[in-house]
Amino acid sequence: MSRHPEHVSVMPNEVKASFELMPEGTFVDVTLGMGGHSIRILREIPGIRRFVGIDRDADILAIARERMQDIPVELFLVHGNFQDVKDLLPPGTEKDVAGILGDLGISTLQLDTPERGFAFQSDAPIDMRMDRTQEKSAYHVINEYSEDQLSKILREWGEVRGARRIAQEIVRERDAEPIGTTGRFARTISKLVPDRFLNKELARIFQAIRIEVNDELSALEKWLEDAVSLLVPDGVITVLSYHSLEDRIVKNRFREWARGCVCPPRLPVCQCGLAPVLRLPKQKLQRPTEEEVRANGRARSARLRTAIRLAEAS
């Protein structure tokens, strides 16, 4: 029996299927986690010469390394931020990338380890760093950001109603004593939210703080740009996202790169010179089945999008 907590990969069949027609070459998982998706892909899809697994969390990367010991492919497991994918690829792989996977979810290990400070169900130091070597944590954001900054984060990253009022309460509470634990932070929010909405609102607020701590959305933007440029012709990129902000970025960028020209329709000839670099499958968005959601509630909000690099794209 594994001594590590079990992490159930989301939409495993759909993720694997998205890579079944990719060309031979290097496969890259930029959010490796415990390796669930990639272990299956490496075992069941032929033609993968090398594998690069990247994760911001050194603890989780160590677990993946242990789980992948018997994979019969040349492995490179790298600690780093997926936005730096170009710099993290080993020499010789940067022109051989046939497939790239990004699963933007939080690992079960992170959520279920109280001292990581991601969950509001426990009372632990409020941290939320995916990479524990970075300086900025949730403690810094909650106790040092201004009321305006907190309100903006809650409104934009969490889509929280009453963001200003909640930011004011956080500032009042921390002025009396710094907010150091997930429990005290949750109790601060609970003063303003009816019990029947509390769990949903806490999830949104914790999400907003986590996004700010880990700079998740700007990292996603940069990674998408670099990932598409790395793909060989007919190479595949698949992204699993878990909230509307992430999915909107992926959807819009894929659509933009599949459209190419951005000239107004009234122009008889293209002036921008932009050509499509991706093609999108007929089923542009996939969601988990009802059966999967019943078996794994954390899959409920998952959205999967795939795009293929055009062979003629430069």
Side-chain angles (χ1 to χ4, degrees):
M1 182 178 294
S2 172
R3 59 190 174 85
H4 304 302
E6 186 63 29
H7 177 82
V8 180
S9 297
V10 171
M11 300 181 69
N13 296 329
E14 294 86 347
V15 170
K16 183 206 163 210
S18 72
F19 291 106
E20 286 178 344
L21 297 180
M22 70 177 172
E24 294 187 0
T26 298
F27 179 66
V28 182
D29 185 339
V30 298
T31 52
L32 179 59
M34 294 190 216
H37 283 302
S38 287
I39 289 171
R40 183 178 180 189
I41 289 167
L42 293 170
R43 284 180 174 156
E44 298 183 16
I45 297 180
I48 298 174
R49 293 190 284 263
R50 287 174 292 195
F51 171 72
V52 181
I54 299 167
D55 205 282
R56 298 175 71 172
D57 192 318
D59 296 339
I60 290 176
L61 194 66
I63 294 172
R65 191 182 306 278
E66 182 179 324
R67 296 185 68 199
M68 301 181 81
Q69 287 177 351
D70 64 342
I71 298 294
V73 173
E74 188 176 11
L75 301 177
F76 301 90
L77 302 189
V78 186
H79 178 224
N81 189 325
F82 72 153
Q83 72 174 347
D84 302 319
V85 60
K86 280 190 171 181
D87 297 327
L88 297 173
L89 288 181
T93 60
E94 66 275 3
K95 295 183 179 180
D96 186 50
V97 177
I100 302 180
L101 170 63
D103 182 343
L104 308 179
I106 301 299
S107 166
T108 299
L109 181 65
Q110 292 169 331
L111 283 171
D112 293 347
T113 304
E115 60 266 27
R116 299 300 300 269
F118 283 98
F120 56 81
Q121 295 88 347
S122 58
D123 194 7
I126 193 155
D127 191 326
M128 301 193 197
R129 291 174 298 170
M130 292 180 180
D131 181 352
R132 291 200 276 187
T133 66
Q134 76 176 40
E135 290 188 12
K136 183 169 69 174
S137 71
Y139 180 91
H140 168 82
V141 172
I142 290 166
N143 289 288
E144 298 183 22
Y145 275 33
S146 70
E147 180 185 308
D148 286 343
Q149 288 174 306
L150 288 170
S151 178
K152 184 173 186 286
I153 289 166
L154 297 178
R155 184 176 63 253
E156 294 185 2
W157 297 163
E159 300 175 301
V160 174
R161 294 181 179 180
R164 172 65 65 178
R165 189 164 55 98
I166 292 171
Q168 289 171 344
E169 185 61 32
I170 292 170
V171 171
R172 275 196 294 270
E173 186 76 14
R174 78 187 190 193
D175 283 348
E177 182 182 352
I179 300 171
T181 68
T182 53
R184 182 155 174 248
F185 187 56
R187 288 191 295 274
T188 299
I189 306 305
S190 69
K191 298 174 185 178
L192 305 175
V193 180
D195 287 345
R196 66 184 185 278
F197 301 128
L198 184 57
N199 282 351
K200 186 173 182 179
E201 201 69 358
L202 283 172
R204 289 177 178 271
I205 291 167
F206 271 63
Q207 170 189 293
I209 301 297
R210 192 201 74 223
I211 288 172
E212 175 64 20
V213 168
N214 297 288
D215 199 22
E216 294 176 31
L217 299 183
S218 62
L220 173 60
E221 290 268 16
K222 182 178 185 302
W223 168 65
L224 285 172
E225 187 93 35
D226 287 347
V228 169
S229 72
L230 286 166
L231 286 172
V232 300
D234 296 318
V236 175
I237 177 171
T238 290
V239 186
L240 264 172
S241 60
Y242 296 85
H243 58 75
S244 59
L245 299 174
E246 292 173 336
D247 182 59
R248 193 177 304 138
I249 290 171
V250 177
K251 177 182 69 174
N252 289 341
R253 298 300 270 164
F254 279 6
R255 182 184 294 168
E256 173 189 337
W257 291 324
R259 182 177 66 241
C261 176
V262 295
C263 293
R266 65 179 180 275
L267 291 181
V269 179
C270 173
Q271 301 294 318
C272 70
L274 295 175
V277 296
L278 296 177
R279 65 179 174 87
L280 306 180
K282 289 182 180 179
Q283 187 176 3
K284 296 181 176 65
L285 172 66
Q286 296 184 70
R287 301 294 300 268
T289 63
E290 292 182 6
E291 182 182 5
E292 179 178 1
V293 171
R294 284 195 296 269
N296 178 17
R298 287 176 177 170
R300 185 179 306 277
S301 61
R303 301 167 175 88
L304 185 149
R305 294 186 187 271
T306 293
I308 300 94
R309 179 81 180 187
L310 288 172
E312 63 271 22
S314 58

